[in-house]
Amino acid sequence: MGWHELMAGELEAAWAFYSTLFGWTKDEAIDLGAVGVYQLFRADAAHAIGGMMTRPPQVPVPGWLYYVNVDAIDAAVARVKAGGGTVVNGPMQLPLASNTRPAAQGPARLPSAAPV
């Protein structure tokens, strides 16, 4: 798994729950202005493994988005399509990443994103 991202109903309540459940610690907090704070978190001392924030109004419900690492983005997109999934966004460069991700949905309509 490359990254774990939560669009929470309310950041502080979500942080209290998940940090207690999994033992995560806070990393950098990134101020996104009117959108709010994007809180990075760690599972160990090595590096951040994800981020969470209060979901913006255009996100209809709270939920997790999982980013998976792949060797080649074009081949990953082809596998998504061959498996009955749909690329719903991208690939695009993300501001906190040094790689490119498409957002995809599998046949069960569960979202995911794949970095290269």
Side-chain angles (χ1 to χ4, degrees):
M1 193 64 56
W3 193 254
H4 309 77
E5 184 169 85
L6 175 62
M7 293 289 133
E10 198 281 312
L11 174 60
E12 291 307 318
W15 174 253
F17 176 79
Y18 287 108
S19 64
T20 300
L21 183 66
F22 295 117
W24 292 338
T25 58
K26 287 185 177 181
D27 193 80
E28 181 180 4
I30 302 166
D31 185 350
L32 300 177
V35 177
V37 173
Y38 187 74
Q39 179 64 60
L40 302 183
F41 55 87
R42 298 171 175 263
D44 57 36
H47 61 285
I49 62 163
M52 62 176 68
M53 64 184 291
T54 299
R55 70 178 174 83
Q58 66 269 30
V59 176
V61 296
W64 284 97
L65 180 61
Y66 301 99
Y67 296 78
V68 295
N69 295 325
V70 297
D71 291 329
I73 197 67
D74 292 334
V77 167
R79 288 191 304 272
V80 165
K81 292 177 180 178
T86 305
V87 174
V88 295
N89 189 16
M92 66 183 172
Q93 186 69 36
L94 298 177
L96 297 177
S98 60
N99 45 39
T100 305
R101 294 178 172 94
Q105 217 173 39
R109 305 200 52 81
L110 299 174
S112 64
V116 194

